[in-house]
Every structure is written in C-alpha cells, then in structure tokens.
Amino acid sequence: MSERRQVWQTLSNLISRLEQDIEQLGNGRTGTPTPTLEGLEKEVRKLGKVQLKANTLAENQLTQAEQLLDNLKRIQVEEETTREALIAQQTAAARHELLLAFLPALDSIEHALSSGQRYLGRRDKAAQNPNLSPTQAQLVSPADRAMLSGWLDGLSLTRDRLLAVLEAGGVTPIAAVGQTFDPFLHRAVGVTVVAALPPGTVVAEERTGYQSETAVLRFADVVVNRPKA
C-alpha cells in the first residue's frame, strides 16, 4: 500500500471511530472510551508527517520525471544534430570525390590545347618560308590551318564547359603565375632565377591547382623564382 493511500485509510478509520463514539454517546453507552483530544492530536500529527513525506516523495518523483523528459529531449536534439552533421559530411565527401574525377579529363584537354597551339605557332612560322615543297605547302595550307584551328576551338569549348561544372560546384582554379608562392596553395616542383622578379614569385605553372570554398582539391605545381646565390 502506498503512503498516500495509507494516509487516507487512516483518516477514514479515525473518522469512523469518531462517528461510532458519537453514536454511542448519543445512545448513552459508555463501554468504549472516547478518544481524548491529546490522542487525536497525536494521530493528526502522525498523519501530517506521513502526508508530508508522501507529498515530498511525489514531488521528487515528479521532478525526476521532468528531468528524465528533459534529458530525453536533449538526447533527441543531439542525435538529430549529429545525424544532420554526418549527412552533410558524407555529402561533402561525395561531392569532393565527384569533382576530383573531373580534373584528369580537364588536364588532358589543357595538355592537348597547349600542344595544339604550339604546333599551330610552328606551322604558321613554317608557312612563311618561300622555299616550301608542294607537300610542305599542302601541310601548311589555309584549309589545313582552318581544320586545326576548329579542332582547338572545340577543345577550348569542352574545357570551358568542364570549368563551368567545377565553378557551379564551388571549385575555381588557383592563381599561380605572378603570385607569391603560398605553401597552402602551391607545390614547388622546380626553381629558377629571374632577376627581374622578386624571390618567391611563381614563374611558371606545371599543373593547374583547384580549390573550393573550404579546402584545396589539388595544389598547383609551380616553378618558383629563387634569389641569386
């Protein structure tokens, strides 16, 4: 039996006893002694202590229940936050890997463009030679040049589209040539001496680097100017 129920049971018994005593007095019976005020006071005090204890226990249980509920809510919020952070981290990692997959294709196109433009320059220089054989003249004919130039324009368009995809993903090329060497953006693959430039200046770029808003996808491989000995 709970303490609260015991209190009410005791009060009910006490009231029943009082009613019986009153009824006996009304009937003129004196066989059962009437409870004295002192005895009633003791009973009431005892009941008061029991009731106070029961109230305190109930309040403590209510407080513990509220604390438990608050803890459960806090745990739920923390789990939700952790889950969202994990999903964001996994999404960022997958996006990072996807963007990295574009870089080798972009490197190949850049290399083809660079080689084609160098060849086009040598071809234009050779076309100025007045002593060309018929076969050489055909190789440097305007029609041949137009075909090569159109091929390079197609490559350039493809490169621009890939760069647009990277830019849409928040990825941009790292500035290199003419910049001061930055170990957080550049990787030195060679050194040279250029008197007209300050030491530490990036003179050439061997491979383009790329960075996002939060990290470097790939460092730029550069040649750095060093001071004279």
Side-chain angles (χ1 to χ4, degrees), residues 87-120:
I87 293 175
Q89 183 179 3
Q90 293 174 345
T91 302
R95 176 184 174 190
H96 182 87
E97 293 297 328
L98 179 62
L99 293 175
L100 277 177
F102 279 91
L103 300 187
L106 191 56
D107 291 339
S108 298
I109 293 176
E110 292 281 5
H111 179 72
L113 275 173
S114 179
S115 299
Q117 289 169 354
R118 286 196 301 268
Y119 172 75
L120 191 61

mmCIF file of all heavy atoms in Angstrom, residues 87-120:
data_model
loop_
_atom_site.group_PDB
_atom_site.id
_atom_site.type_symbol
_atom_site.label_atom_id
_atom_site.label_comp_id
_atom_site.label_asym_id
_atom_site.label_seq_id
_atom_site.Cartn_x
_atom_site.Cartn_y
_atom_site.Cartn_z
ATOM 1 N N ILE A 87 25.342 13.482 -42.298
ATOM 2 C CA ILE A 87 24.837 13.506 -43.674
ATOM 3 C C ILE A 87 25.527 14.599 -44.485
ATOM 4 O O ILE A 87 25.922 14.393 -45.637
ATOM 5 C CB ILE A 87 23.307 13.712 -43.669
ATOM 6 C CG1 ILE A 87 22.613 12.492 -43.073
ATOM 7 C CG2 ILE A 87 22.794 13.980 -45.084
ATOM 8 C CD1 ILE A 87 21.112 12.661 -42.912
ATOM 9 N N ALA A 88 25.696 15.778 -43.870
ATOM 10 C CA ALA A 88 26.377 16.875 -44.560
ATOM 11 C C ALA A 88 27.826 16.515 -44.866
ATOM 12 O O ALA A 88 28.344 16.828 -45.948
ATOM 13 C CB ALA A 88 26.308 18.144 -43.706
ATOM 14 N N GLN A 89 28.484 15.836 -43.904
ATOM 15 C CA GLN A 89 29.867 15.438 -44.119
ATOM 16 C C GLN A 89 29.985 14.414 -45.243
ATOM 17 O O GLN A 89 30.874 14.506 -46.096
ATOM 18 C CB GLN A 89 30.434 14.866 -42.820
ATOM 19 C CG GLN A 89 31.912 14.489 -42.898
ATOM 20 C CD GLN A 89 32.428 13.955 -41.580
ATOM 21 O OE1 GLN A 89 31.674 13.818 -40.615
ATOM 22 N NE2 GLN A 89 33.700 13.656 -41.528
ATOM 23 N N GLN A 90 29.090 13.434 -45.254
ATOM 24 C CA GLN A 90 29.111 12.423 -46.310
ATOM 25 C C GLN A 90 28.796 13.035 -47.673
ATOM 26 O O GLN A 90 29.413 12.669 -48.673
ATOM 27 C CB GLN A 90 28.101 11.316 -45.977
ATOM 28 C CG GLN A 90 28.477 10.485 -44.760
ATOM 29 C CD GLN A 90 27.394 9.500 -44.381
ATOM 30 O OE1 GLN A 90 26.253 9.608 -44.831
ATOM 31 N NE2 GLN A 90 27.735 8.523 -43.558
ATOM 32 N N THR A 91 27.857 13.980 -47.698
ATOM 33 C CA THR A 91 27.525 14.649 -48.957
ATOM 34 C C THR A 91 28.708 15.451 -49.482
ATOM 35 O O THR A 91 29.013 15.433 -50.682
ATOM 36 C CB THR A 91 26.316 15.574 -48.750
ATOM 37 O OG1 THR A 91 25.207 14.810 -48.265
ATOM 38 C CG2 THR A 91 25.928 16.246 -50.055
ATOM 39 N N ALA A 92 29.394 16.157 -48.568
ATOM 40 C CA ALA A 92 30.557 16.949 -48.973
ATOM 41 C C ALA A 92 31.675 16.054 -49.496
ATOM 42 O O ALA A 92 32.347 16.376 -50.479
ATOM 43 C CB ALA A 92 31.050 17.786 -47.796
ATOM 44 N N ALA A 93 31.884 14.891 -48.839
ATOM 45 C CA ALA A 93 32.930 13.971 -49.285
ATOM 46 C C ALA A 93 32.610 13.403 -50.676
ATOM 47 O O ALA A 93 33.492 13.300 -51.540
ATOM 48 C CB ALA A 93 33.091 12.842 -48.274
ATOM 49 N N ALA A 94 31.341 13.025 -50.881
ATOM 50 C CA ALA A 94 30.954 12.501 -52.191
ATOM 51 C C ALA A 94 31.094 13.567 -53.279
ATOM 52 O O ALA A 94 31.550 13.281 -54.390
ATOM 53 C CB ALA A 94 29.509 11.994 -52.128
ATOM 54 N N ARG A 95 30.723 14.785 -52.925
ATOM 55 C CA ARG A 95 30.856 15.886 -53.888
ATOM 56 C C ARG A 95 32.323 16.146 -54.193
ATOM 57 O O ARG A 95 32.688 16.399 -55.345
ATOM 58 C CB ARG A 95 30.204 17.127 -53.284
ATOM 59 C CG ARG A 95 30.331 18.383 -54.115
ATOM 60 C CD ARG A 95 29.737 19.544 -53.347
ATOM 61 N NE ARG A 95 29.953 20.802 -54.026
ATOM 62 C CZ ARG A 95 29.711 21.993 -53.488
ATOM 63 N NH1 ARG A 95 29.208 22.066 -52.274
ATOM 64 N NH2 ARG A 95 29.923 23.091 -54.163
ATOM 65 N N HIS A 96 33.169 16.063 -53.173
ATOM 66 C CA HIS A 96 34.605 16.269 -53.355
ATOM 67 C C HIS A 96 35.175 15.229 -54.318
ATOM 68 O O HIS A 96 35.942 15.556 -55.233
ATOM 69 C CB HIS A 96 35.290 16.181 -51.990
ATOM 70 C CG HIS A 96 36.765 16.425 -52.034
ATOM 71 N ND1 HIS A 96 37.309 17.688 -51.955
ATOM 72 C CD2 HIS A 96 37.813 15.581 -52.148
ATOM 73 C CE1 HIS A 96 38.622 17.599 -52.015
ATOM 74 N NE2 HIS A 96 38.952 16.333 -52.127
ATOM 75 N N GLU A 97 34.796 13.956 -54.120
ATOM 76 C CA GLU A 97 35.293 12.892 -54.989
ATOM 77 C C GLU A 97 34.801 13.076 -56.412
ATOM 78 O O GLU A 97 35.533 12.826 -57.374
ATOM 79 C CB GLU A 97 34.842 11.540 -54.435
ATOM 80 C CG GLU A 97 35.475 11.157 -53.104
ATOM 81 C CD GLU A 97 36.973 10.991 -53.205
ATOM 82 O OE1 GLU A 97 37.450 10.570 -54.291
ATOM 83 O OE2 GLU A 97 37.676 11.287 -52.222
ATOM 84 N N LEU A 98 33.550 13.502 -56.565
ATOM 85 C CA LEU A 98 32.993 13.694 -57.906
ATOM 86 C C LEU A 98 33.734 14.801 -58.649
ATOM 87 O O LEU A 98 34.065 14.659 -59.830
ATOM 88 C CB LEU A 98 31.505 14.031 -57.798
ATOM 89 C CG LEU A 98 30.772 14.294 -59.123
ATOM 90 C CD1 LEU A 98 30.817 13.056 -59.994
ATOM 91 C CD2 LEU A 98 29.339 14.719 -58.871
ATOM 92 N N LEU A 99 34.009 15.900 -57.951
ATOM 93 C CA LEU A 99 34.715 17.000 -58.598
ATOM 94 C C LEU A 99 36.158 16.625 -58.924
ATOM 95 O O LEU A 99 36.701 17.049 -59.954
ATOM 96 C CB LEU A 99 34.678 18.233 -57.685
ATOM 97 C CG LEU A 99 33.286 18.849 -57.467
ATOM 98 C CD1 LEU A 99 33.352 19.983 -56.459
ATOM 99 C CD2 LEU A 99 32.707 19.350 -58.779
ATOM 100 N N LEU A 100 36.766 15.819 -58.063
ATOM 101 C CA LEU A 100 38.132 15.372 -58.343
ATOM 102 C C LEU A 100 38.193 14.536 -59.619
ATOM 103 O O LEU A 100 39.203 14.552 -60.332
ATOM 104 C CB LEU A 100 38.667 14.556 -57.165
ATOM 105 C CG LEU A 100 39.253 15.329 -55.979
ATOM 106 C CD1 LEU A 100 39.663 14.377 -54.871
ATOM 107 C CD2 LEU A 100 40.442 16.173 -56.412
ATOM 108 N N ALA A 101 37.109 13.814 -59.899
ATOM 109 C CA ALA A 101 37.095 12.969 -61.091
ATOM 110 C C ALA A 101 37.140 13.797 -62.373
ATOM 111 O O ALA A 101 37.541 13.281 -63.428
ATOM 112 C CB ALA A 101 35.847 12.074 -61.080
ATOM 113 N N PHE A 102 36.758 15.056 -62.314
ATOM 114 C CA PHE A 102 36.796 15.926 -63.498
ATOM 115 C C PHE A 102 38.223 16.373 -63.831
ATOM 116 O O PHE A 102 38.520 16.699 -64.988
ATOM 117 C CB PHE A 102 35.930 17.165 -63.275
ATOM 118 C CG PHE A 102 34.472 16.941 -63.512
ATOM 119 C CD1 PHE A 102 33.645 16.566 -62.479
ATOM 120 C CD2 PHE A 102 33.922 17.102 -64.766
ATOM 121 C CE1 PHE A 102 32.295 16.358 -62.684
ATOM 122 C CE2 PHE A 102 32.578 16.900 -64.993
ATOM 123 C CZ PHE A 102 31.760 16.514 -63.944
ATOM 124 N N LEU A 103 39.083 16.424 -62.821
ATOM 125 C CA LEU A 103 40.385 17.057 -63.019
ATOM 126 C C LEU A 103 41.273 16.332 -64.035
ATOM 127 O O LEU A 103 41.915 16.998 -64.859
ATOM 128 C CB LEU A 103 41.101 17.191 -61.674
ATOM 129 C CG LEU A 103 40.369 18.030 -60.622
ATOM 130 C CD1 LEU A 103 41.241 18.236 -59.394
ATOM 131 C CD2 LEU A 103 39.927 19.369 -61.197
ATOM 132 N N PRO A 104 41.400 14.980 -64.026
ATOM 133 C CA PRO A 104 42.234 14.339 -65.055
ATOM 134 C C PRO A 104 41.760 14.639 -66.483
ATOM 135 O O PRO A 104 42.590 14.864 -67.378
ATOM 136 C CB PRO A 104 42.113 12.846 -64.719
ATOM 137 C CG PRO A 104 41.784 12.809 -63.261
ATOM 138 C CD PRO A 104 40.919 14.009 -63.032
ATOM 139 N N ALA A 105 40.440 14.634 -66.690
ATOM 140 C CA ALA A 105 39.924 14.958 -68.033
ATOM 141 C C ALA A 105 40.264 16.397 -68.403
ATOM 142 O O ALA A 105 40.647 16.686 -69.548
ATOM 143 C CB ALA A 105 38.412 14.734 -68.076
ATOM 144 N N LEU A 106 40.145 17.290 -67.440
ATOM 145 C CA LEU A 106 40.477 18.687 -67.702
ATOM 146 C C LEU A 106 41.961 18.854 -67.985
ATOM 147 O O LEU A 106 42.357 19.638 -68.862
ATOM 148 C CB LEU A 106 40.061 19.529 -66.489
ATOM 149 C CG LEU A 106 40.069 21.045 -66.655
ATOM 150 C CD1 LEU A 106 39.193 21.481 -67.825
ATOM 151 C CD2 LEU A 106 39.583 21.714 -65.370
ATOM 152 N N ASP A 107 42.806 18.101 -67.272
ATOM 153 C CA ASP A 107 44.250 18.149 -67.525
ATOM 154 C C ASP A 107 44.573 17.689 -68.951
ATOM 155 O O ASP A 107 45.419 18.287 -69.634
ATOM 156 C CB ASP A 107 44.993 17.266 -66.519
ATOM 157 C CG ASP A 107 44.943 17.835 -65.111
ATOM 158 O OD1 ASP A 107 44.701 19.041 -64.963
ATOM 159 O OD2 ASP A 107 45.156 17.059 -64.159
ATOM 160 N N SER A 108 43.909 16.634 -69.398
ATOM 161 C CA SER A 108 44.168 16.117 -70.748
ATOM 162 C C SER A 108 43.791 17.146 -71.803
ATOM 163 O O SER A 108 44.509 17.342 -72.791
ATOM 164 C CB SER A 108 43.376 14.821 -70.963
ATOM 165 O OG SER A 108 43.780 13.826 -70.044
ATOM 166 N N ILE A 109 42.651 17.806 -71.598
ATOM 167 C CA ILE A 109 42.223 18.826 -72.560
ATOM 168 C C ILE A 109 43.185 19.999 -72.558
ATOM 169 O O ILE A 109 43.556 20.541 -73.618
ATOM 170 C CB ILE A 109 40.790 19.275 -72.226
ATOM 171 C CG1 ILE A 109 39.814 18.132 -72.465
ATOM 172 C CG2 ILE A 109 40.397 20.493 -73.057
ATOM 173 C CD1 ILE A 109 38.393 18.447 -72.068
ATOM 174 N N GLU A 110 43.618 20.423 -71.367
ATOM 175 C CA GLU A 110 44.581 21.524 -71.281
ATOM 176 C C GLU A 110 45.879 21.165 -72.001
ATOM 177 O O GLU A 110 46.467 21.997 -72.715
ATOM 178 C CB GLU A 110 44.868 21.845 -69.807
ATOM 179 C CG GLU A 110 43.701 22.455 -69.046
ATOM 180 C CD GLU A 110 43.532 23.935 -69.338
ATOM 181 O OE1 GLU A 110 44.259 24.462 -70.196
ATOM 182 O OE2 GLU A 110 42.652 24.554 -68.716
ATOM 183 N N HIS A 111 46.334 19.926 -71.802
ATOM 184 C CA HIS A 111 47.567 19.487 -72.455
ATOM 185 C C HIS A 111 47.406 19.466 -73.979
ATOM 186 O O HIS A 111 48.298 19.903 -74.725
ATOM 187 C CB HIS A 111 47.952 18.097 -71.944
ATOM 188 C CG HIS A 111 49.197 17.550 -72.566
ATOM 189 N ND1 HIS A 111 50.459 18.038 -72.282
ATOM 190 C CD2 HIS A 111 49.381 16.557 -73.497
ATOM 191 C CE1 HIS A 111 51.367 17.386 -72.982
ATOM 192 N NE2 HIS A 111 50.746 16.478 -73.733
ATOM 193 N N ALA A 112 46.249 18.957 -74.441
ATOM 194 C CA ALA A 112 46.013 18.915 -75.889
ATOM 195 C C ALA A 112 45.946 20.328 -76.466
ATOM 196 O O ALA A 112 46.473 20.599 -77.559
ATOM 197 C CB ALA A 112 44.720 18.152 -76.173
ATOM 198 N N LEU A 113 45.290 21.244 -75.764
ATOM 199 C CA LEU A 113 45.219 22.625 -76.232
ATOM 200 C C LEU A 113 46.601 23.268 -76.305
ATOM 201 O O LEU A 113 46.946 23.947 -77.285
ATOM 202 C CB LEU A 113 44.322 23.438 -75.297
ATOM 203 C CG LEU A 113 42.824 23.395 -75.563
ATOM 204 C CD1 LEU A 113 42.072 24.099 -74.442
ATOM 205 C CD2 LEU A 113 42.502 24.044 -76.908
ATOM 206 N N SER A 114 47.383 23.044 -75.259
ATOM 207 C CA SER A 114 48.729 23.640 -75.236
ATOM 208 C C SER A 114 49.582 23.096 -76.381
ATOM 209 O O SER A 114 50.265 23.861 -77.090
ATOM 210 C CB SER A 114 49.388 23.355 -73.890
ATOM 211 O OG SER A 114 50.688 23.889 -73.854
ATOM 212 N N SER A 115 49.539 21.775 -76.578
ATOM 213 C CA SER A 115 50.320 21.168 -77.661
ATOM 214 C C SER A 115 49.827 21.644 -79.028
ATOM 215 O O SER A 115 50.629 21.962 -79.927
ATOM 216 C CB SER A 115 50.230 19.640 -77.577
ATOM 217 O OG SER A 115 50.755 19.178 -76.354
ATOM 218 N N GLY A 116 48.513 21.715 -79.205
ATOM 219 C CA GLY A 116 47.958 22.155 -80.475
ATOM 220 C C GLY A 116 48.308 23.601 -80.789
ATOM 221 O O GLY A 116 48.610 23.943 -81.939
ATOM 222 N N GLN A 117 48.279 24.449 -79.779
ATOM 223 C CA GLN A 117 48.615 25.856 -80.008
ATOM 224 C C GLN A 117 50.098 26.030 -80.339
ATOM 225 O O GLN A 117 50.459 26.860 -81.185
ATOM 226 C CB GLN A 117 48.233 26.665 -78.773
ATOM 227 C CG GLN A 117 46.725 26.815 -78.590
ATOM 228 C CD GLN A 117 46.343 27.371 -77.249
ATOM 229 O OE1 GLN A 117 47.192 27.551 -76.369
ATOM 230 N NE2 GLN A 117 45.044 27.639 -77.054
ATOM 231 N N ARG A 118 50.960 25.223 -79.694
ATOM 232 C CA ARG A 118 52.383 25.290 -80.040
ATOM 233 C C ARG A 118 52.614 24.817 -81.473
ATOM 234 O O ARG A 118 53.397 25.418 -82.229
ATOM 235 C CB ARG A 118 53.203 24.444 -79.060
ATOM 236 C CG ARG A 118 53.362 25.066 -77.682
ATOM 237 C CD ARG A 118 54.482 24.377 -76.916
ATOM 238 N NE ARG A 118 54.233 22.948 -76.758
ATOM 239 C CZ ARG A 118 53.605 22.409 -75.719
ATOM 240 N NH1 ARG A 118 53.154 23.203 -74.754
ATOM 241 N NH2 ARG A 118 53.444 21.100 -75.642
ATOM 242 N N TYR A 119 51.934 23.737 -81.834
ATOM 243 C CA TYR A 119 52.080 23.237 -83.205
ATOM 244 C C TYR A 119 51.554 24.256 -84.209
ATOM 245 O O TYR A 119 52.147 24.466 -85.274
ATOM 246 C CB TYR A 119 51.330 21.917 -83.358
ATOM 247 C CG TYR A 119 51.265 21.425 -84.779
ATOM 248 C CD1 TYR A 119 52.384 20.848 -85.398
ATOM 249 C CD2 TYR A 119 50.086 21.555 -85.535
ATOM 250 C CE1 TYR A 119 52.324 20.416 -86.708
ATOM 251 C CE2 TYR A 119 50.029 21.115 -86.844
ATOM 252 C CZ TYR A 119 51.146 20.548 -87.428
ATOM 253 O OH TYR A 119 51.099 20.120 -88.710
ATOM 254 N N LEU A 120 50.441 24.906 -83.877
ATOM 255 C CA LEU A 120 49.880 25.905 -84.777
ATOM 256 C C LEU A 120 50.847 27.067 -84.955
ATOM 257 O O LEU A 120 50.997 27.611 -86.068
ATOM 258 C CB LEU A 120 48.544 26.407 -84.226
ATOM 259 C CG LEU A 120 47.691 27.271 -85.171
ATOM 260 C CD1 LEU A 120 47.312 26.474 -86.407
ATOM 261 C CD2 LEU A 120 46.443 27.766 -84.452
#
